[in-house]
Amino acid sequence: MLKAAEFLASQLPRQQIRGAGKRIADALSKALVLAQNGVRDTDTLQASLLRSLGPEAMPEVQHRFCCDVSGILDTVFSSSQHDNPQAVATLPYKARLLLLADHLQELKSLQLGSLHHEAAELEFAEAVERAHKLRNLLAGTHTQLEAGLDEVFEGQVRLADGKLVAVEDHWRSKMVTPLV
């Protein structure tokens, strides 16, 4: 794990060092979500850390890490989840874990950070919609990660005006697509 974290830090361009802390913290946070929800597979945890480097880092990842780590990342990077969400359900198990953890971490950080302006409220609603679709597509993949998403969906969020509202009510007020 530490090897992956060290590699992540070493690959950030020198001119982006100031913003690197947030990028590293985000990568660590996603790997931590996996670990806190019972994922112990080091290949999956390393892939979670290294995913933030993007597909352009794949040649170096393939050289430095085992084929399982690069295989997970290759699958995630090449998946057409944006063009065809149904294809996500056919991804290998470890790639699906990364996607569930990404959505859970994104929602939790937005939910806990409170939504300070209208744009943040809309961003949260869109993130809830994406996560809800993914949750439905990947039902049965990982009970703990799915329960974490369900907890956010059933929870509350503080809006810019200071009011605490149910996530589902907020989502419904911002989105047109019905919850399925």
Side-chain angles (χ1 to χ4, degrees):
M1 282 300 298
L2 294 176
K3 179 181 173 187
E6 182 273 332
F7 179 70
L8 169 65
S10 73
Q11 293 302 302
L12 297 170
R14 296 287 179 230
Q15 66 272 25
Q16 292 181 356
I17 289 299
R18 292 185 128 192
K22 178 168 177 11
R23 193 169 170 187
I24 292 171
D26 188 52
L28 289 169
S29 181
K30 289 175 182 178
L32 185 59
V33 164
L34 286 167
Q36 288 174 331
N37 284 282
V39 175
R40 299 290 179 255
D41 178 69
T42 55
D43 294 338
T44 304
L45 296 171
Q46 286 180 344
S48 179
L49 282 172
L50 298 171
R51 182 173 181 210
S52 68
L53 293 174
E56 59 276 0
M58 282 305 295
E60 188 68 23
V61 168
Q62 289 169 339
H63 175 72
R64 289 181 175 237
F65 294 89
C66 75
C67 62
D68 288 341
V69 172
S70 60
I72 295 166
L73 290 172
D74 210 24
T75 300
V76 171
F77 291 142
S78 65
S79 75
S80 58
Q81 62 180 322
H82 302 292
D83 298 331
N84 180 8
Q86 303 299 339
V88 171
T90 64
L91 291 175
Y93 176 71
K94 293 177 182 182
R96 289 181 288 162
L97 291 178
L98 262 57
L99 295 177
L100 285 169
D102 285 355
H103 283 76
L104 180 55
Q105 187 271 338
E106 177 188 21
L107 286 179
K108 286 247 184 218
S109 77
L110 287 170
Q111 181 186 32
L112 298 176
S114 91
L115 310 175
H116 298 293
H117 46 79
E118 182 68 27
E121 291 181 14
L122 184 57
E123 178 186 359
F124 181 71
E126 290 169 346
V128 168
E129 182 172 16
R130 285 189 310 274
H132 200 279
K133 286 178 182 177
L134 183 79
R135 165 69 175 90
N136 286 339
L137 286 169
L138 300 184
T141 297
H142 192 276
T143 307
Q144 288 174 274
L145 289 171
E146 293 167 34
L149 286 170
D150 291 343
E151 184 179 304
V152 172
F153 299 148
E154 295 164 4
Q156 295 182 321
V157 64
R158 187 165 308 281
L159 302 179
D161 64 6
K163 187 167 51 170
L164 200 59
V165 298
V167 168
E168 186 174 335
D169 292 344
H170 170 68
W171 181 80
R172 287 182 188 278
S173 74
K174 297 288 181 191
M175 305 310 289
V176 182
T177 310
L179 202 60
V180 273

